[in-house]
Amino acid sequence: MGTYHPQEPQPQPSGQASSPQPQQPYPQFVQPTPSQSNAAPQQPQQSYPPYAQQSAQTPSPYAAPAATPSYVTPQQTTPSTEPPYGTRNYGAPNYVAPSNAAPAAPYAAPQGGAAPANPYAPSTPAAAHPSPNATSGSPYTSPQYDVPQTPAAPHAAPGNPYAPAAPSPASPYAPAPGPYAAPTGQYAGPYSPAAPQPAAGPYAGAPTASGAPTAAPTAPAGASPYAVQPSGNWYQPAGPYESAPSRSDPPAKIRHWLRKVTNRATGLILVYQVVFTAVSFIASYVISLLIVNLGHGGNATNAQVRAEMVNWNGVLMLVTVLGGLCFILPMRRRMIFRRGFWAGETGHARMKPAWLIVFIVILIFVQVASILINAAISSFGTDVPSPTSESLNESSTNIAMWLYIGLVAPVVEEMVFRGVLMRGLKPIGRNFAILTSALMFGLFHDDVVQGTFAFCLGLLLGFVAMEYSLVWSIVLHAFNNAVLGLLMPWLIGLIGETGATVYALVLLGVGIIGFIVVMVMYGRGLGEYRRANRSPRGTYAAWLAPAFLIFVAINVALTLYSFLTALGVLG
């Protein structure tokens, strides 16, 4: 910086009395010479004391009482070869000019020799450092003198707190100049603007008919109903106050968490079945007492009671389902009484008419496959009995049973198995949740034929509920029960033998040919979905949860008992 010297008395003109010049209270500024600091050689220009330079029209309250300050002209010397910012820490040079002076002329090389290096030139070509009073790269106006000045060249002296680093032109996330640009100068912080992240939806990368993944934020995209979910960590938190294990956790900790989540979800279904069965027994006992006492005067035989119970099966099932709902609704009221539980969470895939037809074709194929398997077994001279199917066929002549089969059962079963159970298992993995819920849904029927069909149907309905919404799985379930299970058999009975044969052939053609077409078009997408949501090794150790094992053991025992009883092995 410059050196300040006290002002000396000025000589008076001839003919005037000499009077002592009052001492100025402020020192006079002298432009530093190269011997004092390593300043850049500039053209001679006038300098003023800091905080005292004012225009002739605006007197400064800080100016000295002298009428006219003296000016010192800097000497023109050869610049020093010592680097100006090599070891010292100087601020940027202060270019000051009076209000009526033109901007300083650019540096000119001395005559008769090579031009010395400009000590203020940047080491590499870079954009001019933005001024605090104007936009980058343009002359800015001094707030005190309103004179255009050239902004200081950017420098990066070590340890200079007032030297902000210019943004790298190669950085794709450099802040753009504007009113919201990052602060510079002494207000520049250690932060950096966040890099924009690509938008990633929950169905990004859904496979298309050609197998190539897409970048659509929602699914299904293109021509595939199968949505591939992005895979991050292996498992997801099972609750708002719980954390999922990471891949680096010990295997014992991971197995404990898997069994805990499975135990909680399947244990609730186990208790639901216990309540369901208990209500069924109680309601059946009450109805039998009413039949005996009111219908036969207290003298009815067991055969008469069983024959009368067929007409009451619809009422019995409605009462049983009502009892189960009285248990499950309070237990999962926060989950069930939400719009997202039924209509799907935010970002779920939207059902399209084409995909609905695809799922109906797969549903018909499941029906056809079940019929063909039973026909193949019957060809060996052995029929596979299905007590559940026989009971439904006998009691499907009243409105209560139609109401239960076509509407109440699809809604309640989907809410319990694809809603409560599958959502409870979803943190472990989508494939695991779909497979486990379908397996428990099949065992819940306690019938070999009905249970096998229910397991295959549960895989389809589980996928639909997982990727679309619970409403669409209810629609498909109701279509299977009401249309394929009740309405079409009733119409076939009215048509006769010929109509039944035509209906069977049409059903076989639609089921088999349609399924082949669907697999050719979308089979690759289904494989992509299965691989994208594949559970890591050791996940199915969750099936060792006590509640799941107890549920399987009870329903397998009931299924065997029903099957052996239908065969006549057990009386």
Side-chain angles (χ1 to χ4, degrees), residues 379-402:
S379 63
F380 293 97
T382 304
D383 293 333
V384 180
S386 176
T388 303
S389 300
E390 295 173 1
S391 176
L392 293 176
N393 292 333
E394 292 175 358
S395 59
S396 61
T397 57
N398 55 72
I399 297 178
M401 201 64 181
W402 275 64

Side-chain angles (χ1 to χ4, degrees), residues 106-297:
Y107 173 76
Q111 301 295 330
N118 188 352
Y120 292 99
S123 56
T124 56
H129 186 71
S131 166
N133 301 319
T135 58
S136 176
S138 64
Y140 60 88
T141 303
S142 172
Q144 187 175 2
Y145 306 108
D146 196 21
V147 176
Q149 298 181 357
T150 305
H155 53 83
N160 188 351
Y162 301 104
S168 174
S171 174
Y173 305 114
Y180 301 101
T184 59
Q186 59 178 333
Y187 301 103
Y191 62 90
S192 58
Q197 300 296 327
Y203 302 97
T208 59
S210 60
T214 64
T218 58
S224 173
Y226 308 112
V228 178
Q229 299 298 324
S231 58
N233 196 6
W234 281 344
Y235 309 111
Q236 302 297 326
Y241 305 105
E242 300 181 4
S243 59
S246 62
R247 304 184 183 186
S248 59
D249 288 336
K253 181 180 179 180
I254 296 177
R255 287 193 298 268
H256 173 75
W257 181 84
L258 291 173
R259 294 173 186 174
K260 177 182 177 181
V261 175
T262 306
N263 209 52
R264 180 186 305 170
T266 58
L268 183 66
I269 305 303
L270 176 61
V271 178
Y272 169 80
Q273 184 177 14
V274 171
V275 174
F276 186 92
T277 306
V279 173
S280 178
F281 274 113
I282 295 174
S284 178
Y285 179 74
V286 172
I287 292 174
S288 63
L289 288 180
L290 293 176
I291 292 174
V292 171
N293 294 322
L294 299 179
H296 297 276

Side-chain angles (χ1 to χ4, degrees), residues 484-533:
L484 298 181
L486 293 177
L487 182 61
M488 297 307 297
W490 179 72
L491 292 176
I492 290 173
L494 296 178
I495 295 174
E497 294 284 338
T498 304
T501 304
V502 172
Y503 170 75
L505 293 176
V506 171
L507 193 67
L508 288 173
V510 171
I512 297 176
I513 298 176
F515 182 76
I516 293 175
V517 172
V518 168
M519 288 296 103
V520 170
M521 295 179 62
Y522 309 118
R524 186 173 182 179
L526 181 61
E528 292 290 339
Y529 179 88
R530 181 182 59 83
R531 286 189 293 270
N533 297 280

Side-chain angles (χ1 to χ4, degrees), residues 309-380:
M309 282 294 297
V310 173
N311 299 326
W312 287 87
N313 277 342
V315 177
L316 175 63
M317 297 307 300
L318 291 176
V319 173
T320 302
V321 168
L322 180 62
L325 286 176
C326 291
F327 166 76
I328 200 71
L329 288 178
M331 295 298 296
R332 289 294 182 266
R333 60 186 181 277
R334 295 183 179 179
M335 176 190 294
I336 296 173
F337 295 106
R338 289 175 51 249
R339 182 180 181 276
F341 179 83
W342 302 93
E345 300 295 342
T346 303
H348 69 88
R350 293 186 178 184
M351 182 64 72
K352 297 181 179 180
W355 308 145
L356 184 60
I357 294 175
V358 167
F359 295 136
I360 290 176
V361 169
I362 297 176
L363 181 62
I364 294 175
F365 174 77
V366 174
Q367 286 272 8
V368 170
S370 177
I371 295 174
L372 293 178
I373 291 174
N374 290 333
I377 295 176
S378 299
S379 63
F380 293 97

Side-chain angles (χ1 to χ4, degrees), residues 28-121:
Q28 177 67 29
F29 176 81
V30 179
Q31 182 72 17
T33 61
S35 61
Q36 296 172 347
S37 64
N38 298 319
Q42 301 288 341
Q43 293 295 333
Q45 63 181 6
Q46 294 176 339
S47 301
Y48 293 89
Y51 311 108
Q53 181 180 2
Q54 299 290 337
S55 63
Q57 292 77 10
T58 306
S60 172
Y62 303 102
T68 305
S70 61
Y71 305 101
V72 179
T73 304
Q75 300 178 5
Q76 180 72 20
T77 59
T78 305
S80 174
T81 58
E82 180 183 355
Y85 297 109
T87 58
R88 301 182 183 180
N89 183 16
Y90 295 113
N94 184 17
Y95 299 100
V96 181
S99 58
N100 57 355
Y107 173 76
Q111 301 295 330
N118 188 352
Y120 292 99

